[in-house]
Amino acid sequence: MKIAVHNWLRPEPLDVSIERLARLGYDGLEITSKPATTDIPRVKKLLADNGVESPGALAFMAGGLDLFSDEPFVRAGSLDYLKRTIDLVAELGGYFVTVPCTVGKVVPTASEEDEWRWYVEGLRTAQEHATAAGVRLAVEPLNRFETYLINRADQALRLAEEVGPDCGVVLDIFHMNIEERSWRQAIELCRDRLVHFHVADNTRGACGDGEFDWNAIVGALRAIGYDGYLSVEFMPPIDRTPLAASPIDDPEGQGLEASMVRWLRDHSSGVFRETEYTAWLTRSLRTLRTAIATTAGDRR
């Protein structure tokens, strides 16, 4: 297994992120898709020069993007963004695009039947584009406080099956800890379609800072034959109490896009300070490398 980090954890220039990951010993960078502003040749050179891979990208469904909106023009614009994300991944050399439901949308705007139909239709069209480009779509369930539509592995699997044989699933152990009766059973359920796996500890802190048994998690992935990436996505809360020892700053005034500011605020989070960010990355990498080595002979 290899280990990656998602670049939304600390908004900063990609050359800074890539150099840090290479220095720390990470294998890959999972990128938030911004097709209109990403200089693909430059990013490819940065990755190659630093020996860092691009396993895939997140189609960041925020800021008005919504594949199951009740507004046809919103669905059309969202599908166009998704196709351009697929093109970006194909050029960078990645193999998947994560497609969560719209982050932050927790109230339906149409009937269950219409929303499901629009989502399946949009993803089928996108998957046709992805298949032609040699890329897989992968549906990621998020917890109920971030979306209302796809929260569990069985829901993501049903959606992927209706989209078609090439559509996969991405699982995130933090979300699974909230929504699944058994994260082990969820991993087993998705064994034939699991293309990527997100990791953070039970409080969404650095791997190793909480209660998760990482040997058990990595062992369960090995048991289904998964040999892909573990992609780090930790996210600390802002502490405004007298106990605060926060490693993050308020997102306002940081020069971020409005959609990112809102997204961080909706998660009660902010922008990492560089020293603490590096420390969290280091702890996560050490924890995951140890679990990978410890379970190397576990092929149950």
Side-chain angles (χ1 to χ4, degrees):
M1 294 184 198
K2 296 180 179 181
I3 305 174
V5 176
H6 207 296
N7 73 310
W8 61 251
L9 304 185
R10 185 173 192 270
E12 63 185 4
L14 279 175
D15 56 339
V16 175
S17 296
I18 293 169
E19 185 279 328
R20 183 191 292 105
L21 296 186
R23 173 165 41 87
L24 294 178
Y26 277 83
D27 303 300
L29 173 72
E30 185 181 348
I31 190 170
T32 297
S33 174
K34 298 180 179 180
T37 58
T38 299
D39 184 340
I40 294 176
R42 178 174 178 271
V43 174
K44 288 180 68 173
K45 185 175 188 306
L46 285 169
L47 291 168
D49 289 349
N50 285 276
V52 175
E53 295 180 338
S54 171
L58 167 69
F60 192 63
M61 290 295 176
L65 295 170
D66 184 357
L67 276 172
F68 48 94
S69 169
D70 59 340
E71 296 285 356
F73 72 90
V74 173
R75 298 199 301 273
S78 302
L79 179 58
D80 178 68
Y81 164 74
L82 187 50
K83 287 181 176 180
R84 288 186 289 121
T85 296
I86 291 164
D87 294 339
L88 180 149
V89 169
E91 290 196 57
L92 289 181
Y95 59 88
F96 78 96
V97 172
T98 309
V99 187
C101 296
T102 301
V103 181
K105 182 182 178 182
V106 294
V107 178
T109 56
S111 70
E112 294 94 331
E113 294 80 10
D114 282 342
E115 286 190 328
W116 188 262
R117 175 170 53 84
W118 292 330
Y119 207 23
V120 170
E121 289 174 352
L123 290 180
R124 280 178 179 167
T125 301
Q127 183 61 73
E128 291 175 2
H129 189 78
T131 299
V135 174
R136 294 187 75 180
L137 290 188
V139 179
E140 180 183 2
L142 305 178
N143 73 73
R144 71 192 71 181
F145 306 109
E146 297 187 32
T147 185
Y148 61 88
L149 189 55
I150 303 294
N151 305 126
R152 304 187 310 267
D154 60 337
Q155 296 168 332
L157 184 60
R158 172 62 181 270
L159 180 60
E161 288 171 347
E162 291 201 22
V163 170
D166 291 337
C167 189
V169 172
V170 170
L171 294 178
D172 184 314
I173 193 63
F174 170 76
H175 297 300
M176 295 164 74
N177 187 54
I178 297 173
E179 299 294 347
E180 303 291 349
R181 291 184 178 182
S182 167
W183 59 259
R184 291 176 177 83
Q185 290 179 9
I187 288 173
E188 171 65 29
L189 181 68
C190 297
R191 64 181 303 150
D192 295 329
R193 290 189 184 246
L194 186 62
V195 300
H196 197 64
F197 198 82
H198 288 154
V199 292
D201 225 301
N202 64 295
T203 61
R204 214 170 194 178
C207 300
D209 282 2
E211 292 291 331
F212 282 160
D213 182 340
W214 290 101
N215 288 349
I217 293 168
V218 175
L221 290 168
R222 287 193 184 281
I224 66 164
Y226 180 79
D227 197 30
Y229 267 90
L230 306 176
S231 190
V232 174
E233 284 192 336
F234 48 62
M235 193 173 203
I238 291 178
D239 186 349
R240 303 186 190 279
T241 75
L243 297 176
S246 177
I248 56 177
D249 293 315
D250 192 287
E252 287 288 352
Q254 300 287 328
L256 304 179
E257 296 175 1
S259 60
M260 179 58 72
V261 172
R262 178 177 177 180
W263 191 79
L264 291 170
R265 283 197 174 281
D266 285 348
H267 288 77
S268 299
S269 193
V271 179
F272 262 102
R273 298 166 193 165
E274 184 171 2
T275 300
E276 285 81 1
Y277 180 55
T278 300
W280 282 47
L281 288 175
T282 301
R283 294 201 301 277
S284 294
L285 182 66
R286 181 173 60 244
T287 297
L288 296 173
R289 290 281 188 223
T290 298
I292 290 170
T294 301
T295 61
D298 187 358
R299 301 287 181 181
R300 292 167 291 177

